[in-house]
Amino acid sequence: MEQSQTIGAGRANDQMLSGAGARVDKQLVARRFGRHAAEYDVYAEVQPLMAAGLTERVRRHHQGLAGRILDIGCGTGGLAASLWPHYPAAELTLLDLASAMLRQAEQKLRRHGCPGSQLRAVAADAEAWAADQPEGGYDLIVSSAAFQWFNTPAATLRRLVQLLRPGGLLAFATFLPGTLRELHAAFRQADA
């Protein structure tokens, strides 16, 4: 039987995922990201680098076709737009807390040539959403810069593995501990 794979990035992720997580106010996160969705890409410097690195790792570890791809915390669609040329026939499910971010992601993917018929945008909390999904529905689940917003990252990660088809791949990148101080400072400055 073919096994599914998970790609994480080192000990920092192991420490983050082993704990119970934070007490993240998801509504506040959605409001803040939604309010700044239109200009997010102008200020996001690290996120495109994370998406490019993750795309390269996915390409190395996931051989073959991917009929269904899930991008968790898709933001403005940078990771999905980077992956789509390598899986042009895939159905892309874009999942994000902020509807405004999803609109930006859909627009970006269409500009990159992805037909709207292959896109499914879902505004939801990934942790709650994953719990309600049927097992084995995705060939590839990706996430860049979103796991730090989970309240129960270890349990969510276990559930996401269950959503993979045999031979599927779950690949994610996340920030190291302490990185969010800079993000919170940026939000305070933008809100001022």
Side-chain angles (χ1 to χ4, degrees), residues 2-102:
E2 206 172 351
Q3 295 271 324
S4 299
Q5 299 181 65
T6 304
I7 299 174
R11 285 184 293 223
N13 281 339
D14 294 342
Q15 290 174 335
M16 181 199 69
L17 293 174
S18 65
R23 295 288 175 237
V24 176
D25 181 339
K26 304 281 182 91
Q27 291 178 340
L28 179 61
V29 171
R31 280 194 310 271
R32 285 184 171 173
F33 277 102
R35 190 168 45 235
H36 300 289
E39 70 267 4
Y40 182 84
D41 285 345
V42 174
Y43 299 103
E45 295 177 13
V46 173
Q47 291 84 341
L49 298 173
M50 290 173 70
L54 189 56
T55 296
E56 182 55 34
R57 285 186 174 159
V58 167
R59 291 195 51 204
R60 277 196 312 251
H61 292 280
H62 189 269
Q63 305 301 317
L65 302 175
R68 294 189 71 212
I69 299 173
L70 169 62
D71 184 352
I72 297 171
C74 69
T76 61
L79 177 58
S82 179
L83 280 171
W84 182 78
H86 306 290
Y87 305 99
E91 172 191 305
L92 298 173
T93 300
L94 306 172
L95 181 69
D96 202 278
L97 283 170
S99 297
M101 294 295 255
L102 285 167

Side-chain angles (χ1 to χ4, degrees), residues 121-140:
V122 179
D125 173 358
E127 294 181 286
W129 180 87
D132 292 335
Q133 299 307 302
E135 293 187 5
Y138 293 94
D139 300 294
L140 184 56

Side-chain angles (χ1 to χ4, degrees), residues 93-157:
T93 300
L94 306 172
L95 181 69
D96 202 278
L97 283 170
S99 297
M101 294 295 255
L102 285 167
R103 286 190 293 279
Q104 294 293 319
E106 288 178 295
Q107 290 171 7
K108 182 179 289 180
L109 281 154
R110 287 190 180 112
R111 283 193 309 271
H112 281 82
C114 182
S117 61
Q118 288 177 234
L119 295 174
R120 179 175 167 241
V122 179
D125 173 358
E127 294 181 286
W129 180 87
D132 292 335
Q133 299 307 302
E135 293 187 5
Y138 293 94
D139 300 294
L140 184 56
I141 299 175
V142 295
S143 180
S144 184
F147 274 37
Q148 69 276 3
W149 302 113
F150 291 175
N151 285 318
T152 58
T156 302
L157 185 59

Side-chain angles (χ1 to χ4, degrees), residues 139-184:
D139 300 294
L140 184 56
I141 299 175
V142 295
S143 180
S144 184
F147 274 37
Q148 69 276 3
W149 302 113
F150 291 175
N151 285 318
T152 58
T156 302
L157 185 59
R158 284 190 296 273
R159 178 62 187 147
L160 292 173
V161 169
Q162 294 172 344
L163 301 184
L164 290 170
R165 292 178 177 157
L169 176 70
L170 167 61
F172 66 94
T174 193
F175 293 111
L176 295 172
T179 308
L180 292 180
R181 283 192 308 262
E182 295 170 0
L183 183 62
H184 290 300

